[in-house]
Amino acid sequence: MDSGTSLISCIQDSIRKNWDLEALTDYKGTTLLYRDIARRIAKLHILFQAAGIKPGDKIALCGRNCANWASACLAAMSYGTVIVPILHEFKPNNIHNIVNHSDAKLLFAGDHIWENLNESMMPELTGIIIIDDFSLAISRSEDLTEAREHLNELFGKKYPKDFTPSNVCYAIPPSDSLAMINYTSGSTGFSKGVMLPYRSLENNREFARRVMSTLKAGDQVISMLPMAHMYSFAYEFIYEITIGCHVYFLTRLPSPKVIFQAFHDIKPKVIIAVPLVIEKIIKKNVLPRLETTQMRLLLKVPVVNDQINRKIRKELINSFGGEFYQIIIGGAAFNQEVENFLHSVHFPYTVGYGATECGPIICYEDWKTFVPGSCGKAAYGMEVKILSSDPEHIPGEIVCRGPNVMLGYYKNEKLTEETIDADGWMYTGDLGIMDRDGNVFIKGRSKSMILGPSGQNIYPEEIEDKLNNMPCVSESVVISENGKLVALVYPDFDEAMNLGLKEEQIPATMESNRSELNRELPAYEQISQIRIYNEEFEKTPKKSIKRFLYQKE
């Protein structure tokens, strides 16, 4: 990748070119222009130098999405350090462990994160900087303390005349050098430090440039997902910054009500979402209106049906702001009923597939040519294949290779060798099939696959998809227990109340669901029992259930 297309040069050129444009806004809060970001980057570089930070050192960031998090991230990258974004949902002990394991020298922490941390558990840090105002929470360096106390004075000395676009000049790192270590929070267990080189971030950016070509400088987008997750980092933040977009951060956990209000106010040009957000909106706000007796009758009349579908599509598009090209859904499996509905009304959505280890994209297809139920074809620069004797019909592990693939897992050569083979193929741990046109259909995680009584492969995600569409079911996990399948269900208590059911009647409803479900399933996939949970299942930041917490065997 030449210097003209390197990520850091794209960031540098965008800041210079879009100097007076709005860049980052905390929704219903402050806004930074591109020139404001440049000044913050320059001031943070002064602090890094005072703290003895060198290119290649690690800087960790842990906090909610906000303009200051983004500024700190850009400052660390443009200084030549390796960023370590940490999901703010992680427990304090996990944050301590990641900071230590990554060898971070500085930590940027949100105020609400810092109050639960213990600096003595992170002895190698030179300092801890509060993201909210860039104040020093902890300094173990006199030079860092001195620099922070006199930062404006030092900035004035370094730039005695006006700070202008010509002062924005960052070192361009080699494409294969380490850009970040991203610690996963997967549905199958412990955190792993994924080492992503600049080539991965750069190829993901080039992919975004090709598929989000309608975006241009000044366009507005919303960042809903945690930026410490690669899906959000790549497609709600970094790409947009490199072309001069205006990024709005929903700084708190966004409820459907807040998201809808933000769509109405901001009218984003592209929407990046996880299935859970879309599913809740569709299942709660749209599908119930279509299930009345009158509506069902009208939908059976072809001409009326087309008119109703057009109206539904228009209302749906308007509810998401009305100005986007498409909604790109990724991060977890999409509910089949919701997807079928969106496809039936020709809604502009597509489902992609990726992994942190690929920074993140692996598969994608534009909504106009997207095949429902799939996750698209191999993305730009990537090769994908299925390890199966019959990839069209028999699921096998999905493997991929290309510039997006990570360097490996930090300080874990054994796991790296198990994941990336000598020919560069990365083993995803996901199972799928591929049709003749190259469309990939995911069947589930290899670690969650259950072996049936006579050796049959059972994919619990497929059973859960059916169960989740049944009355009063909010979400479910199918596990194997003593050789039998058990469904754990968190009920939809609101739906039960709307149906006039009391809480003590829910078990009978679930038993009815079990009988109906088993009529649709082969003998080896029969559910022996439904066990009710009164709290939502614990999830990863991309809203996949952490099924390893519930598997007994």
Side-chain angles (χ1 to χ4, degrees):
M1 191 82 57
D2 62 52
S3 62
T5 54
S6 79
L7 183 66
I8 299 304
S9 68
C10 289
I11 291 169
Q12 170 186 283
D13 294 347
S14 178
I15 290 174
R16 290 174 176 173
K17 184 179 177 182
N18 302 297
W19 194 250
D20 293 318
L21 290 183
E22 294 177 326
L24 305 170
T25 295
D26 294 335
Y27 182 50
K28 299 197 172 175
T30 57
T31 293
L32 299 181
L33 307 182
Y34 276 86
R35 65 168 182 256
D36 300 325
I37 297 176
R39 292 176 71 88
R40 292 191 179 198
I41 288 172
K43 287 183 177 182
L44 288 170
H45 284 183
I46 292 170
L47 289 186
F48 297 162
Q49 191 170 9
I53 302 298
K54 299 179 180 63
D57 284 346
K58 320 296 191 305
I59 293 180
L61 303 100
C62 187
R64 292 191 183 102
N65 289 7
C66 65
N68 276 4
W69 190 105
S71 300
C73 173
L74 293 170
M77 293 181 77
S78 58
Y79 191 79
T81 62
V82 176
I83 59 168
V84 183
I86 303 174
L87 289 155
H88 69 270
E89 292 99 336
F90 279 165
K91 299 284 190 285
N93 279 347
N94 204 4
I95 296 172
H96 295 150
N97 290 337
I98 290 171
V99 167
N100 295 331
H101 185 265
S102 68
D103 304 308
K105 296 286 181 67
L106 281 179
L107 168 65
F108 284 86
D111 200 28
H112 69 291
I113 299 291
W114 166 237
E115 64 188 20
N116 296 310
L117 298 182
N118 182 346
E119 68 269 24
S120 67
M121 299 293 289
M122 300 174 287
E124 300 305 313
L125 285 176
T126 300
I128 299 173
I129 299 170
I130 300 302
I131 290 174
D132 306 61
D133 58 3
F134 295 137
S135 61
L136 275 178
I138 295 293
S139 175
R140 295 176 176 138
S141 159
E142 288 183 11
D143 288 343
L144 175 60
T145 303
E146 178 80 7
R148 183 62 189 93
E149 288 175 355
H150 301 94
L151 188 54
N152 288 335
E153 182 184 334
L154 291 169
F155 180 81
K157 283 182 180 177
K158 189 169 182 179
Y159 304 101
K161 298 179 180 179
D162 285 346
F163 185 74
T164 67
S166 63
N167 296 120
V168 176
C169 191
Y170 308 136
I172 309 302
S175 217
D176 221 41
S177 63
L178 183 60
M180 70 160 69
I181 304 175
N182 194 301
Y183 284 80
T184 65
S185 174
S187 54
T188 56
F190 60 94
S191 297
K192 306 180 289 273
V194 175
M195 296 190 292
L196 290 169
Y198 273 96
R199 64 165 158 77
S200 176
L201 305 187
E202 287 160 354
N203 199 69
N204 270 278
R205 182 197 174 275
E206 177 59 20
F207 160 80
R209 188 184 71 81
R210 289 164 180 255
V211 306
M212 294 157 70
S213 57
T214 54
L215 277 184
K216 61 186 185 303
D219 280 349
Q220 301 186 147
V221 296
I222 298 174
S223 177
M224 293 184 283
L225 310 173
M227 277 198 294
H229 192 278
M230 284 311 303
Y231 185 37
S232 175
F233 182 86
Y235 305 128
E236 290 185 325
F237 168 49
I238 279 291
Y239 173 64
E240 283 77 359
I241 288 298
T242 64
I243 62 169
C245 287
H246 182 185
V247 182
Y248 284 78
F249 297 112
L250 303 187
T251 53
R252 286 177 171 72
L253 185 66
S255 65
K257 184 179 178 183
V258 169
I259 291 171
F260 262 138
Q261 186 60 48
F263 286 147
H264 178 266
D265 295 344
I266 298 163
K267 296 179 172 48
K269 296 294 185 181
V270 70
I271 295 170
I272 308 294
V274 292
L276 193 68
V277 171
I278 304 298
E279 286 166 12
K280 279 193 172 179
I281 290 167
I282 302 297
K283 288 174 99 172
K284 296 279 186 186
N285 299 340
V286 181
L287 292 181
R289 284 185 283 168
L290 304 179
E291 288 169 356
T292 64
T293 305
Q294 183 184 13
M295 186 61 79
R296 280 200 295 268
L297 288 170
L298 287 171
L299 286 169
K300 287 180 180 177
V301 181
V303 177
V304 178
N305 183 7
D306 289 343
Q307 291 172 349
I308 291 172
N309 280 345
R310 280 197 294 273
K311 186 179 179 185
I312 292 168
R313 180 179 184 271
K314 187 177 179 182
E315 284 183 12
L316 265 176
I317 288 172
N318 288 339
S319 67
F320 286 98
E323 294 188 14
F324 62 94
Y325 171 70
Q326 66 177 353
I327 293 181
I328 303 173
I329 299 166
F334 200 19
N335 181 278
Q336 204 62 55
E337 183 189 29
V338 173
E339 182 170 4
N340 289 342
F341 163 71
L342 290 180
H343 183 67
S344 71
V345 298
H346 305 294
F347 185 75
Y349 81 97
T350 186
V351 179
Y353 166 59
T356 302
E357 287 84 348
C358 287
I361 201 67
I362 297 173
C363 292
Y364 167 88
E365 187 71 10
D366 185 272
W367 79 271
K368 291 175 180 173
T369 48
F370 171 73
V371 176
S374 78
C375 58
K377 302 171 184 173
Y380 169 76
M382 296 297 287
E383 297 175 74
V384 177
K385 64 181 181 180
I386 309 294
L387 300 183
S388 165
S389 58
D390 182 3
E392 280 191 58
H393 305 102
I394 301 173
E397 184 166 4
I398 302 169
V399 297
C400 65
R401 71 177 174 185
N404 292 6
V405 174
M406 65 174 177
L407 296 170
Y409 296 107
Y410 193 55
K411 297 180 181 176
N412 197 334
E413 288 184 19
K414 183 175 182 293
L415 186 58
T416 299
E417 288 171 5
E418 290 171 0
T419 307
I420 305 173
D421 69 17
D423 294 320
W425 289 101
M426 191 191 90
Y427 291 69
T428 65
D430 292 317
L431 299 168
I433 58 175
M434 182 189 290
D435 69 16
R436 290 181 183 181
D437 296 321
N439 294 294
V440 174
F441 298 79
I442 295 173
K443 294 299 181 181
R445 292 286 299 173
S446 60
K447 289 183 180 178
S448 64
M449 189 188 77
I450 297 168
L451 206 60
S454 301
Q456 307 97 331
N457 291 340
I458 299 170
Y459 304 102
E461 294 92 343
E462 293 185 348
I463 302 173
E464 292 156 9
D465 194 63
K466 290 182 170 69
L467 183 53
N468 291 347
N469 289 326
M470 292 186 160
C472 303
V473 176
S474 179
E475 55 188 19
S476 63
V477 181
V478 172
I479 64 170
S480 175
E481 208 171 85
N482 300 318
K484 295 184 177 180
L485 296 182
V486 175
L488 315 178
V489 169
Y490 170 62
D492 188 329
F493 293 104
D494 290 340
E495 184 185 350
M497 187 171 65
N498 291 337
L499 292 172
L501 295 176
K502 295 179 181 176
E503 195 167 328
E504 56 267 26
Q505 294 174 293
I506 290 177
T509 302
M510 293 304 156
E511 184 57 28
S512 173
N513 286 343
R514 187 180 75 87
S515 299
E516 185 181 339
L517 179 64
N518 282 343
R519 281 195 287 273
E520 296 181 33
L521 298 172
Y524 64 87
E525 289 186 348
Q526 297 288 296
I527 300 296
S528 65
Q529 175 192 356
I530 288 184
R531 197 174 297 150
I532 293 173
Y533 273 60
N534 287 319
E535 292 182 353
E536 286 191 38
F537 298 114
E538 192 169 333
K539 299 181 185 71
T540 71
K542 63 180 185 180
K543 306 305 177 190
S544 300
I545 294 170
K546 293 185 176 180
R547 59 175 64 245
F548 68 92
L549 296 176
Y550 304 98
Q551 180 66 59
K552 304 296 183 186
E553 295 181 350

